[in-house]
């Protein structure tokens, strides 16, 4: 609205709706974690401080997870144990992982945008992340959102509890294609990964059954 934005829940079979969250800010990225909680993060720009909240859709309460970080973008595990996030300051881009329960934060070994990560369907300590060998020195993430910057990704399996990293797919390893991976999804048994190549918006399937076992 002209005064900001509202988050509402609504039933599909009637006209009822419930106001859950209000903000003077208009641009949010929302991710549903379970039947109760939603992660809400302000749309990222390296020139603007970003904020992330966990919102309870049942009672309307909100809890700030992170805040006042330029270029903040996030991805949280469904059990709300791990938060992957990135920040951008003065053309310096960094990716981090936080244990929500302990508050401990570490550098993520793959420097990437959290949108390029998907958590395992079987083990929420495991996350699969696509990312380039080296991030370009530009205004991220907005230049990537706008299509001004393209990335050449490798794909990694990361155990966040042990900090073990396994490369699944290297740049141009399996085909002549170069991938800028978005919209990563994983099958219920972690056998296959689906993703879209942002370079040409083609849909790909990757068999990872032998790799993840």
């Amino acid at each position: 609205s002209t005064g900001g934005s509202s988050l509402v829940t609504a039933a599909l079979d009637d006209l009822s709706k419930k106001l859950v969250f209000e903000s003077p800010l208009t641009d949010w990225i929302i991710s549903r974690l379970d039947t109760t909680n939603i992660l809400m993060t302000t749309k990222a720009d390296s020139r603007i401080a970003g904020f992330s909240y966990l919102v309870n859709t049942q009672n309307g309460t909100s809890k700030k997870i992170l805040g006042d970080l330029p270029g903040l973008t996030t991805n949280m595990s469904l059990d709300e144990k791990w938060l992957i996030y990135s920040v951008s300051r003065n053309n310096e881009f960094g990716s981090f992982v936080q244990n929500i329960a302990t508050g401990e934060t570490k550098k993520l070994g793959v420097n990437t945008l959290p949108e390029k990560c998907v958590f395992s369907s079987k083990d929420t300590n495991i996350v699969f992340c696509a990312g380039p060998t080296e991030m370009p020195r530009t205004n991220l993430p907005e230049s990537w959102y706008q299509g001004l910057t393209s990335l050449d990704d490798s794909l990694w399996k990361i155990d966040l509890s042990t900090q073990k990293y396994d490369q699944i797919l290297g740049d141009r390893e399996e085909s002549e294609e170069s991938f800028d991976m978005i919209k990563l999804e994983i099958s219920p048994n972690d056998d296959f990964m689906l993703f879209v190549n942002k370079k040409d918006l083609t849909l790909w399937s990757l068999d990872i059954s032998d790799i993840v076992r």
Side-chain angles (χ1 to χ4, degrees):
S1 67
T2 55
S5 58
S6 302
L7 175 69
V8 299
T9 58
L12 295 176
D13 55 355
D14 59 39
L15 298 179
S16 64
K17 63 180 182 179
K18 175 184 175 183
L19 177 65
V20 176
F21 181 83
E22 288 185 292
S23 169
L25 304 177
T26 56
D27 292 324
W28 293 89
I29 297 174
I30 64 173
S31 304
R32 185 169 188 134
L33 301 174
D34 52 40
T35 57
T36 301
N37 291 317
I38 286 179
L39 181 69
M40 296 186 63
T41 304
T42 49
K43 186 74 173 183
D45 188 299
S46 64
R47 299 160 295 182
I48 301 173
F51 296 83
S52 186
Y53 296 88
L54 198 61
V55 178
N56 186 305
T57 60
Q58 300 298 316
N59 57 30
T61 59
S62 60
K63 175 185 177 182
K64 187 170 76 172
I65 303 298
L66 288 172
D68 206 21
L69 296 173
L72 176 67
T73 179
T74 61
N75 191 342
M76 183 178 279
S77 61
L78 295 179
D79 62 357
E80 300 164 25
K81 179 179 180 181
W82 300 104
L83 179 71
I84 294 173
Y85 68 96
S86 64
V87 295
S88 185
R89 294 187 180 95
N90 303 318
N91 287 340
E92 291 292 334
F93 180 88
S95 302
F96 305 87
V97 57
Q98 182 181 96
N99 185 312
I100 297 297
T102 66
E104 182 182 16
T105 299
K106 295 181 178 179
K107 270 269 194 180
L108 188 68
V110 177
N111 210 24
T112 190
L113 292 152
E115 293 95 325
K116 289 176 167 287
C117 296
V118 60
F119 282 90
S120 163
S121 298
K122 298 168 63 176
D123 183 353
T124 53
N125 289 319
I126 303 295
V127 65
F128 301 89
C129 288
T133 302
E134 185 176 353
M135 275 288 186
R137 285 185 170 272
T138 184
N139 294 324
L140 291 170
E142 63 267 27
S143 65
W144 182 74
Y145 288 155
Q146 295 163 357
L148 303 176
T149 298
S150 184
L151 304 177
D152 297 317
D153 291 332
S154 299
L155 182 64
W156 296 82
K157 175 190 174 186
I158 307 168
D159 189 328
L160 297 174
S161 62
T162 64
Q163 293 292 299
K164 181 183 178 183
Y165 291 75
D166 295 307
Q167 190 177 54
I168 294 176
L169 183 69
D171 182 30
R172 298 183 183 272
E173 183 177 297
E174 297 294 333
S175 72
E176 294 301 317
E177 295 286 334
S178 178
F179 297 116
D180 188 352
M181 298 183 185
I182 59 172
K183 301 184 184 298
L184 281 71
E185 298 286 348
I186 195 138
S187 64
N189 292 319
D190 288 358
D191 292 329
F192 290 89
M193 178 176 292
L194 296 176
F195 65 89
V196 171
N197 188 357
K198 191 172 183 284
K199 295 178 185 291
D200 57 10
L201 300 183
T202 51
L203 178 65
W204 292 77
S205 174
L206 180 64
D207 185 347
I208 58 174
S209 55
D210 292 334
I211 300 170
V212 298
R213 292 195 177 105

